Amino acid sequence: MDRDLNLNRAETFSFINPWIRYFLFFFSFLFWVFSLLIVAIGVYAKAQKATDTVRDSFLIDPAIILIVVGVVMFFITFCGCIGALRENIHLLKTFSFSLTLVFLTQLAIAILGFFYSDQTRDALGRFVKKAIVHYRDDLDLQNLMDYIQKEFKCCGWNNYTNWSWNLYFNCSQLNPSTERCAVPFSCCTPVPGESVINTMCGFGVQTQKYLEAAKSIYPVGCADRAVMWIESHLLLVGALALGLALPQIAGIVLSQILIYQIQNEINSIL
């Protein structure tokens, strides 16, 4: 009787904790669905554009960035989801390795950005310059730039004259554009009592001095505004960084625990 009971316990015993297994499955499944949503939004945004984005602005196209991020997320979370469900060590190791690589890359970028702030600012400046140059070529890019300038109450990268980088807003005498020496309406300060936005409020502003321009637009560059925002919202920035890091660390730890348990299960059978 006792011998039969011990045999039944040995047959039903498993090194694999079902709570860890199914938690990792649902954790991966949630982000897998989220990755599909990101890809769908990116593909839809790309398909809705009337014209093809020029090659030079390909890497700063918000739709392309969404698709790339979504595809990478889809691959990683698919490995975690199926690996946990099927107890597949190879998929779980791929999931753990990929997630570790992404986490370490983000950590390295954050550390390098902190210690090499000037070089980071220059790199971001080149990115924003491309965005300004192709402001009229890509509607998604245009909306993104307008949103940033309105939210941060800034204009250009270093200052409002940076909009001369754009073909339409270029302030040279040879520029035939009707928007010569102007800035986008998103640079303009809101007028109290006016509900309708005056899209021509930034016309001719680049020819004005700083104090004169400040009467109608935000003359400060977005680079300085971003630094000021981060310094005044350190707690929020820290919380966002922690919120980004914790799911990745949790995925790595859970997958490693499950891999260890599966290996113990295999060894016990052999």
Side-chain angles (χ1 to χ4, degrees):
M1 181 75 178
D2 291 338
R3 185 174 177 274
D4 292 338
L5 183 61
N6 289 332
L7 285 173
N8 289 333
R9 284 178 178 174
E11 289 174 358
T12 57
F13 176 77
S14 174
F15 285 94
I16 300 171
N17 188 323
W19 288 101
I20 293 177
R21 178 190 174 193
Y22 287 112
F23 183 81
L24 182 59
F25 167 74
F26 286 113
F27 172 84
S28 301
F29 181 76
L30 180 65
F31 283 95
W32 180 68
V33 172
F34 184 61
S35 71
L36 287 176
L37 181 62
I38 292 175
V39 172
I41 292 172
V43 170
Y44 176 79
K46 190 66 179 173
Q48 288 298 307
K49 293 180 182 179
T51 57
D52 292 328
T53 307
V54 293
R55 185 176 298 176
D56 194 36
S57 65
F58 182 81
L59 294 177
I60 58 173
D61 185 348
I64 296 297
I65 293 172
L66 283 175
I67 293 171
V68 171
V69 171
V71 168
V72 172
M73 274 186 66
F74 176 86
F75 169 76
I76 295 173
T77 53
F78 177 81
C79 290
C81 189
I82 303 302
L85 185 65
R86 303 297 298 173
E87 297 178 8
N88 188 303
I89 288 181
H90 297 295
L91 286 176
L92 287 172
K93 284 183 176 179
T94 302
F95 171 75
S96 180
F97 174 78
S98 302
L99 206 55
T100 302
L101 187 63
V102 170
F103 177 73
L104 291 177
T105 301
Q106 293 173 348
L107 187 63
I109 291 172
I111 293 172
L112 291 173
F114 179 78
F115 286 104
Y116 298 94
S117 56
D118 292 338
Q119 291 85 340
T120 303
R121 178 168 175 150
D122 291 340
L124 288 174
R126 289 191 293 271
F127 181 86
V128 174
K129 183 176 181 178
K130 279 189 176 183
I132 290 175
V133 169
H134 298 289
Y135 176 78
R136 293 293 193 203
D137 302 330
D138 188 327
L139 184 60
D140 291 332
L141 192 61
Q142 180 176 323
N143 291 334
L144 178 62
M145 286 296 298
D146 286 336
Y147 176 81
I148 291 171
Q149 290 190 144
K150 282 190 288 187
E151 288 299 313
F152 282 92
K153 298 180 179 180
C154 58
C155 191
W157 178 242
N158 297 309
N159 55 59
Y160 61 99
T161 60
N162 290 154
W163 280 99
S164 270
W165 294 336
N166 185 273
L167 178 66
Y168 297 93
F169 300 124
N170 186 273
C171 211
S172 65
Q173 294 292 332
L174 298 176
N175 184 11
S177 172
T178 55
E179 295 180 300
R180 186 176 74 87
C181 296
V183 295
F185 73 92
S186 54
C187 289
C188 299
T189 55
V191 179
E194 286 191 6
S195 57
V196 180
I197 299 173
N198 179 14
T199 56
M200 300 178 66
C201 56
F203 276 47
V205 167
Q206 290 187 55
T207 60
Q208 300 173 2
K209 298 296 182 182
Y210 185 91
L211 292 177
E212 186 180 357
K215 296 177 182 178
S216 56
I217 66 165
Y218 303 115
V220 181
C222 292
D224 293 331
R225 281 291 186 189
V227 172
M228 292 166 60
W229 187 88
I230 292 172
E231 289 177 348
S232 60
H233 296 81
L234 288 176
L235 188 62
L236 177 60
V237 172
L240 290 173
L242 190 64
L244 184 65
L246 281 179
Q248 297 177 60
I249 295 172
I252 295 167
V253 172
L254 289 173
S255 61
Q256 286 298 322
I257 292 173
L258 190 56
I259 289 169
Y260 177 75
Q261 291 178 347
I262 294 171
Q263 287 174 336
N264 285 341
E265 184 79 7
I266 294 171
N267 292 334
S268 69
I269 296 171
L270 299 176

